[in-house]
Amino acid sequence: LNRIKASGLKLQFCTNETQATREQFVKKLQGLGFDISVAEVTAPAPAACRILKERNLRPHLLVHNDLVPEFAEIDKTNPNCVVIGDAAENFSYANLNEAFRLLIGMEKPVLISLGRGRYYKETDGLKLDVGAYMKALEYACDIQAEVVGKPAKMFFESALAEMGVPPQQAIMIGDDIVNDVGGAQRCGMRALQVRTGKYR
């Protein structure tokens, strides 16, 4: 990363991290020695907030407790949509059922997902990601979620806009063949898969 920055190439970190705010995410990476700022991070929660404001949506949040501050300026009274992220321990039956009941009771249910990942890797092994729970709500409510994070085209376009670079002049590097590589390629970018993390 230091060599990329020193070369003068533009760099943007694209993450589906939805268990922490961008500030917390950056602080963690800085603690590991990475030279990174919040402005260099494209993440799903801020993109979701833009959509919520533009469409006057009031979300019921099924997200990780540490992500809630990203939605501080969003009206959450009398919800007319559900926003789902990697809620980890908050993915209880009761919480999923509450989201289901809200959606099934809406005339035009709106489910916004902060990603579509199947699983991710932690130090103690692989863990189910938001996509598995998103699919459960889609199936139960017979609806299609709007995905805000990777691999959504809009997500990559947002990162490219931040850098001011057209897709054909950018390359995405990541470990996820579907969300990183596939999503970037559908956006017109080149992509490179690294054999670390959950690459298989």
Side-chain angles (χ1 to χ4, degrees):
L1 290 174
N2 289 338
R3 287 203 303 274
I4 290 170
K5 286 189 172 190
S7 74
L9 291 171
K10 294 181 179 179
L11 177 68
Q12 193 73 9
F13 297 85
C14 297
T15 178
N16 267 3
E17 172 62 64
T18 59
Q19 286 194 12
T21 62
R22 280 180 303 164
E23 287 77 9
Q24 293 166 326
F25 177 69
V26 165
K27 192 174 180 183
K28 178 182 176 182
L29 289 179
Q30 287 172 341
L32 295 169
F34 289 93
D35 176 20
I36 178 175
S37 68
V38 172
E40 293 175 305
V41 177
T42 300
C49 287
R50 280 195 299 274
I51 291 169
L52 294 169
K53 286 176 181 174
E54 286 169 8
R55 292 164 55 183
N56 293 316
L57 292 171
R58 300 176 307 276
H60 167 77
L61 298 176
L62 180 50
V63 299
H64 196 279
N65 291 340
D66 290 344
L67 191 70
V68 172
E70 289 274 22
F71 297 88
E73 296 179 16
I74 302 293
D75 181 7
K76 294 175 276 295
T77 59
N78 190 24
N80 59 2
C81 74
V82 169
V83 171
I84 185 172
D86 181 12
E89 303 305 318
N90 285 344
F91 277 138
S92 65
Y93 176 80
N95 289 343
L96 274 167
N97 203 51
E98 184 181 3
F100 159 72
R101 284 179 172 174
L102 279 165
L103 287 167
I104 207 77
M106 294 174 190
E107 190 178 332
K108 292 183 179 178
V110 176
L111 174 61
I112 296 173
S113 184
L114 303 181
R116 200 178 70 186
R118 295 173 181 169
Y119 56 87
Y120 59 94
K121 188 173 184 181
E122 287 276 5
T123 51
D124 60 346
L126 298 176
K127 300 201 172 181
L128 281 175
D129 203 351
V130 63
Y133 302 96
M134 176 198 84
K135 286 291 183 187
L137 290 173
E138 282 185 332
Y139 177 67
C141 300
D142 195 23
I143 58 172
Q144 181 115 23
E146 299 176 40
V147 180
V148 177
K150 297 181 288 184
K153 188 177 180 186
M154 183 189 73
F155 182 86
F156 289 101
E157 287 171 345
S158 178
L160 290 166
E162 292 281 340
M163 295 187 293
V165 173
Q168 59 273 18
Q169 290 182 16
I171 185 166
M172 173 71 190
I173 302 168
D175 66 352
D176 189 312
I177 194 72
V178 175
N179 293 325
D180 295 333
V181 174
Q185 288 176 337
R186 279 192 299 280
C187 189
M189 299 166 64
R190 285 174 293 171
L192 185 148
Q193 185 184 21
V194 291
R195 292 171 60 86
T196 56
K198 60 173 181 178
Y199 70 90
R200 67 174 180 275

